[in-house]
Each structure stands twice: as C-alpha cells, then as structure tokens.
C-alpha cells in the first residue's frame, strides 16, 4: 500500500515538474501568455523542484539496489558458513571433534536482561527518580543558600 502510494506520488511529481518545464519553455518562446514575473519566479525555483522530483524517486531506487546487493552478499556468506558447519558436523576426526566441543564449552554465555537490570527508562525523564544522594545534595545546598 505505502510503497505503491509513494511510487505513484513520485511519478505524479516528476510528471508535474516536467509539465511545468514545458509550460515555462512555451512561455519563454511566447507560445502562451504569462507575466514575466511569474515566468521568472517559476524559472528560479524550477531546478530545485526538478532536483527534488528526481531525488524522490532516485534515492529509494539506489537504496533498494544497495540493500539488495548487501543482502545477496550476506546470503552467500551464510551459505558458505552453513556448508562449513555441515562439513564440521560430519567430521570423522575425533581430535577435531574434541577441540570443537571444548571451544563450544568455553564460549561466553548470553546474559538475558530483566526489568530489574535497567538503569534508565525512557518512559520517565530521570529527574523524578533521582537517587537519594542527589536529593541529599540538593537539600544541603538549599540549606547553605538560606544560611548565607
């Protein structure tokens, strides 16, 4: 839905800018009547409109091509990794199997974070949950200011 709408908007945008370019060209040649100030004003912004219209279409197309290339490289790398994994899993050498098992046992474990592990929450501004040491500091500072 959104991609089709964005594509249609891009085509409409390029069509409108090219139509405006044709109208400006016809006005400069005298084929249609238009005030000189209108033609001059539109001619001044026409390059920016054309650049925007082309960029609106070109940037997503270039980005999509780059991501497609990157995804193909990742897929190829994953296939090679999977092939090596299958070859190692089918390895008949007991010495290599022992080394791989020891390496697997030494790899670090993944730590799962819980709600209680959070230091900061973006749902609050952090100032209302200030630690007691800061509250104490603020209290002592206010007391000092009052005594002076």
């Amino acid at each position: 839905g959104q991609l089709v709408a964005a594509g249609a908007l891009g085509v409409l945008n390029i069509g409108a800018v090219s139509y405006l370019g044709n109208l400006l060209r016809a006005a400069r040649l005298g084929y249609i009547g238009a005030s000189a100030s209108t033609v001059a004003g539109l001619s001044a912004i026409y390059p920016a409109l054309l650049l925007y219209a082309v960029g609106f279409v070109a940037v997503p197309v270039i980005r999509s091509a780059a991501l497609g290339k990157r995804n193909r490289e990742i897929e190829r790398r994953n296939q090679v990794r999977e092939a090596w994994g299958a070859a190692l899993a089918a390895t008949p050498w007991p010495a290599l199997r022992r080394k791989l098992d020891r390496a697997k046992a030494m790899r670090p474990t993944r730590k799962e974070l819980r709600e209680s592990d959070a230091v900061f929450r973006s749902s609050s501004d952090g100032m209302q949950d200030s630690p007691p040491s800061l509250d104490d500091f603020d209290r002592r500072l206010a007391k000092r200011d009052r005594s002076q």
Side-chain angles (χ1 to χ4, degrees), residues 31-84:
Y31 295 135
I32 58 172
S35 70
S37 63
T38 303
V39 173
L42 289 174
S43 294
I45 65 168
Y46 179 74
L49 291 174
L50 183 62
L51 181 67
Y52 175 78
V54 170
F56 188 86
V57 174
V59 168
V61 168
I62 292 168
R63 183 177 179 270
S64 177
L67 287 176
K69 181 180 181 226
R70 184 176 176 202
N71 286 342
R72 284 189 299 276
E73 290 169 357
I74 290 171
E75 184 64 33
R76 187 172 42 250
R77 196 172 59 229
N78 287 345
Q79 288 173 350
V80 168
R81 186 177 293 133
E82 191 174 305
W84 275 107

Side-chain angles (χ1 to χ4, degrees), residues 9-47:
L9 183 62
V11 169
L12 179 68
N13 197 358
I14 288 179
V17 169
S18 63
Y19 180 71
L20 177 63
N22 287 336
L23 286 177
L24 290 173
R25 193 172 305 110
R28 274 191 233 113
L29 295 174
Y31 295 135
I32 58 172
S35 70
S37 63
T38 303
V39 173
L42 289 174
S43 294
I45 65 168
Y46 179 74

Side-chain angles (χ1 to χ4, degrees), residues 1 4 8 17-18 20 24 27 31 36 39-40 56 71 85-86 98-99 104 109 113 122 124-125 130 139 146 148:
V4 172
V17 169
S18 63
L20 177 63
L24 290 173
Y31 295 135
V39 173
F56 188 86
N71 286 342
R98 280 192 307 274
K99 283 183 180 182
K104 191 180 285 186
T109 58
L113 297 178
S122 60
S124 68
D125 64 2
S130 61
R139 187 176 32 63
R146 276 181 273 155
Q148 289 181 352

